[in-house]
Amino acid sequence: MNVRATARLRAEPDGRGGTALPVLVSDGPLALRRTRSPHTAYARVTVVGAMSAPLNGDRLTIEADIADGARLTVDAAAATVALPGPREDTEPSTYTVDLGVGEGAVLHWLPEQLVSAHGSHLHQATRVRLAPTARLLLREEQILGRHGEPTGGLTTRLTVHRASRPLLDQRLAYGPGAPAGWDGPAVLGGHRAVGQLLLADPAFEDAPLPARLLGPTAALTPLAGPAVLVTAVAADARLLRGILDDAMRELLDGLRTDHTG
């Protein structure tokens, strides 16, 4: 039997300088747990996989509403592994993330990697709605195949709207069914780990960053709005995370310097 599950959360200011979580609803394999945050102003939620999912045919959704002025970090306890399931004729699975971030709110959306196992077929979609003064740090990482195996079929789409206007609409496809050339020298060049880091902050309106390379396999691209996108490929998950972590530290340190300078 295929799984249909929707987990929901809402974050809002608690009136004491922190952030409350009046809605924290788990469902099926998506278990949401409040965990300790190193920053007192932020709440922290960790997604814990309660069972193997998604299998082909599953429909999983996470909905998060970050109210005006709230500050939230969402991470995960482990990687998400897309699996083929017991039947070969099953439809693709879907994993949808729907995020809304209000005025003056901050969301750090930092899940672990998504692993596309051989035989799986997953459609992943992340949709974000930002208020004009919202801030967002979002990381996505895709690992194409477990160790020593080919990748499954994976399509991802990341769409971000700010003040109801498009900021980013990016679609990627890998594996069986993807357009020819997805693993060629112009795209992955033999790498099997790919990731994106998006930072949206009103500070970029007055001080936009220039496009530049971040080493041999990563690039920073300013968007037509107060945001930058880092795109990277690497041989494996560990190297990819190192590239994105370095970029994250550099970007956040730069913003802190601008805010205090």
Side-chain angles (χ1 to χ4, degrees):
M1 178 179 293
N2 298 131
V3 174
R4 304 289 189 273
T6 299
R8 297 183 295 112
L9 67 95
R10 175 176 170 82
E12 58 188 39
D14 63 7
R16 303 185 302 274
T19 296
L21 296 169
V23 177
L24 193 64
V25 179
S26 302
D27 190 15
L30 300 172
L32 306 182
R33 301 287 183 262
R34 179 158 193 166
T35 48
R36 184 182 299 276
S37 173
H39 307 291
T40 56
Y42 283 74
R44 178 185 173 196
V45 172
T46 299
V47 182
V48 180
M51 62 181 76
S52 294
L55 306 177
N56 284 350
D58 289 350
R59 302 286 184 267
L60 306 182
T61 302
I62 298 179
E63 298 174 351
D65 179 19
I66 318 306
D68 295 354
R71 299 184 178 189
L72 177 68
T73 295
V74 178
D75 57 16
T80 297
V81 182
L83 296 167
R87 293 169 44 198
E88 295 184 0
D89 60 346
T90 307
E91 294 181 352
S93 57
T94 64
Y95 195 158
T96 302
V97 175
D98 199 338
L99 310 174
V101 189
E103 294 284 1
V106 183
L107 173 61
H108 292 179
W109 187 265
L110 303 171
E112 290 299 308
Q113 297 94 348
L114 170 65
V115 181
S116 177
H118 179 59
S120 67
H121 193 180
L122 173 65
H123 295 167
Q124 182 190 34
T126 301
R127 300 188 292 260
V128 187
R129 301 174 309 282
L130 299 175
T133 57
R135 287 181 284 161
L136 171 71
L137 177 66
L138 181 147
R139 181 185 67 213
E140 290 191 342
E141 299 164 293
Q142 297 88 32
I143 311 303
L144 305 179
R146 293 173 293 191
H147 181 69
E149 72 173 10
T151 184
L154 175 63
T155 62
T156 73
R157 187 172 183 183
L158 172 59
T159 56
V160 183
H161 285 76
R162 176 179 180 266
S164 301
R165 300 184 63 180
L167 180 66
L168 175 66
D169 190 342
Q170 175 179 272
R171 185 180 185 274
L172 305 171
Y174 311 104
W182 66 269
D183 58 348
V187 184
L188 293 181
H191 297 94
R192 282 298 179 265
V194 59
Q196 305 82 40
L197 180 72
L198 174 67
L199 179 59
D201 193 296
F204 290 132
E205 288 186 308
D206 297 325
L209 297 181
R212 58 189 174 93
L213 295 177
L214 302 175
T217 62
L220 181 149
T221 304
L223 302 181
V228 295
L229 177 68
V230 174
T231 304
V233 296
D236 57 37
R238 180 185 63 82
L239 293 173
L240 178 67
R241 178 62 60 85
I243 294 169
L244 295 181
D245 280 352
D246 287 346
M248 184 189 306
R249 282 191 291 268
E250 180 180 339
L251 290 170
L252 293 178
D253 287 347
L255 285 176
R256 281 191 287 265
T257 299
D258 291 342
H259 290 161
T260 59

